[in-house]
């Protein structure tokens, strides 16, 4: 029977993720699990975010990719601690992989940890890694039908960043349709329209991050 096996895997993962989360909480680190398709702009978003907020927030990165350390190197060039996890074929990060990366980071020097998940719209939504929130970035070029096709991603995310809105004049995708389809699945989803290329809309994301990390600091 497949179903019980899968449930056991997820339950075992949830336990490890919960232990990671305890450690993050104790260290006062706010953790985002950033998900999205390959090419949606996850690493570009992080480059922009680091540039904008590095004087205010100490940011650390765990970078998940099937292969290569290109993205971690891109972010390390911005002067932030960045650890690369190569999943060796697996299409998502899980709690155990994050636990393996924890000794590489000094959490007394990190306020915000972003875990950039493997580019994939399916199973990253099922696996917790110890995050406070899941955040999803979707390029408008991917189309406005994605919420109907990958509902779990939209349901699990607290924030949806719709990237590359500077390309809207050249596309058939409709932003309002995308937003309505997303909110039908998750009415409390916060949606920001952004372009990592032009920078438009990113100020709203930065404000959200300032508030989220500030709030986590105030917790006992
Ligand atoms: Mg990337
Ligand atoms: Zn997977």
């Amino acid at each position: 029977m497949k179903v019980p096996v899968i449930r056991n895997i997820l339950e075992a993962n949830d336990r490890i993720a919960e232990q990671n989360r305890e450690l993050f909480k104790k260290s006062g680190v706010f953790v985002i699990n950033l998900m999205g398709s390959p090419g949606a702009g996850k690493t570009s978003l992080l480059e922009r975010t680091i540039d904008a907020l590095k004087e205010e927030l100490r940011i650390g990165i765990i970078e998940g990719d099937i292969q290569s350390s290109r993205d971690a190197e891109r972010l390390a060039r911005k002067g932030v601690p960045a650890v690369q996890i190569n999943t060796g074929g697996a299409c998502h990060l899980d709690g155990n992989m994050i636990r393996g990366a924890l000794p590489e980071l000094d959490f007394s020097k990190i306020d915000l940890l972003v875990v950039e998940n493997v580019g994939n719209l399916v199973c990253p939504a099922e696996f917790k890694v110890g995050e406070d929130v899941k955040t999803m970035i979707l390029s408008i070029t991917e189309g406005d039908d994605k919420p109907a096709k990958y509902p779990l991603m939209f349901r699990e995310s607290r924030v949806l960043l719709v990237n590359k809105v500077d390309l809207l004049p050249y596309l058939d995708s409709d932003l309002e349709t995308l937003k309505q389809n997303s909110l039908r699945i998750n009415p409390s989803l916060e949606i920001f329209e952004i372009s990592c290329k032009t920078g438009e809309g990113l100020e709203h994301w930065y404000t959200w991050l300032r508030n989220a990390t500030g709030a986590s600091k105030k917790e006992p």
Side-chain angles (χ1 to χ4, degrees):
M1 290 289 286
K2 271 185 181 155
V3 171
V5 173
I6 289 167
R7 198 174 58 218
N8 287 345
I9 290 170
L10 288 174
E11 282 172 2
N13 182 67
D14 281 356
R15 277 195 296 279
I16 297 169
E18 194 50 46
Q19 290 164 5
N20 293 343
R21 192 166 151 70
E22 286 302 315
L23 184 138
F24 295 140
K25 259 170 104 175
K26 243 193 302 179
S27 315
V29 182
F30 187 78
V31 183
I32 291 178
N33 183 350
L34 179 64
M35 313 179 296
S37 302
K42 296 184 294 302
T43 310
S44 302
L45 173 74
L46 294 180
E47 286 178 318
R48 280 276 190 178
T49 304
I50 292 164
D51 282 342
L53 296 182
K54 68 178 170 196
E55 304 299 324
E56 303 171 47
L57 281 177
R58 298 171 301 172
I59 300 173
I61 305 288
I62 295 178
E63 185 61 50
D65 281 293
I66 292 175
Q67 265 183 36
S68 100
S69 54
R70 288 178 55 106
D71 285 356
E73 285 161 20
R74 266 171 75 183
L75 297 170
R77 253 176 255 136
K78 299 281 179 190
V80 301
V83 181
Q84 180 79 47
I85 296 175
N86 282 144
T87 61
C91 48
H92 60 269
L93 293 173
D94 64 23
N96 201 37
M97 293 178 204
I98 299 305
R99 179 160 71 180
L102 298 182
E104 307 294 324
L105 292 166
D106 179 356
F107 288 106
S108 69
K109 298 195 173 107
I110 294 175
D111 304 309
L112 168 65
L113 174 68
V114 183
V115 176
E116 184 187 325
N117 220 308
V118 179
N120 178 350
L121 283 184
V122 188
C123 40
E126 292 190 75
F127 287 83
K128 294 183 180 130
V129 300
E131 68 271 19
D132 290 279
V133 296
K134 286 188 167 79
T135 291
M136 177 177 179
I137 180 167
L138 180 88
S139 165
I140 191 66
T141 57
E142 295 176 64
D144 50 36
D145 60 347
K146 288 299 165 293
K149 288 187 170 174
Y150 302 97
L152 190 64
M153 286 286 280
F154 291 82
R155 199 171 298 133
E156 289 289 317
S157 295
R158 178 90 61 88
V159 176
L160 169 65
L161 296 147
V162 182
N163 190 23
K164 309 189 193 180
V165 293
D166 53 303
L167 297 178
L168 271 168
Y170 312 104
L171 301 172
D172 294 327
S173 299
D174 183 64
L175 192 53
E176 281 314 308
T177 306
L178 173 64
K179 282 161 62 175
Q180 281 168 21
N181 289 345
S182 306
L183 290 169
R184 200 168 297 136
I185 286 163
N186 180 354
S188 58
L189 190 62
E190 292 211 52
I191 303 176
F192 301 123
E193 301 156 27
I194 63 165
S195 166
C196 291
K197 189 167 175 79
T198 66
E200 79 179 277
L202 282 167
E203 202 49 57
H204 302 289
W205 161 242
Y206 302 148
T207 300
W208 186 91
L209 275 177
R210 286 186 190 103
N211 290 335
T213 51
S216 86
K217 284 279 166 208
K218 275 181 217 111
E219 275 177 29

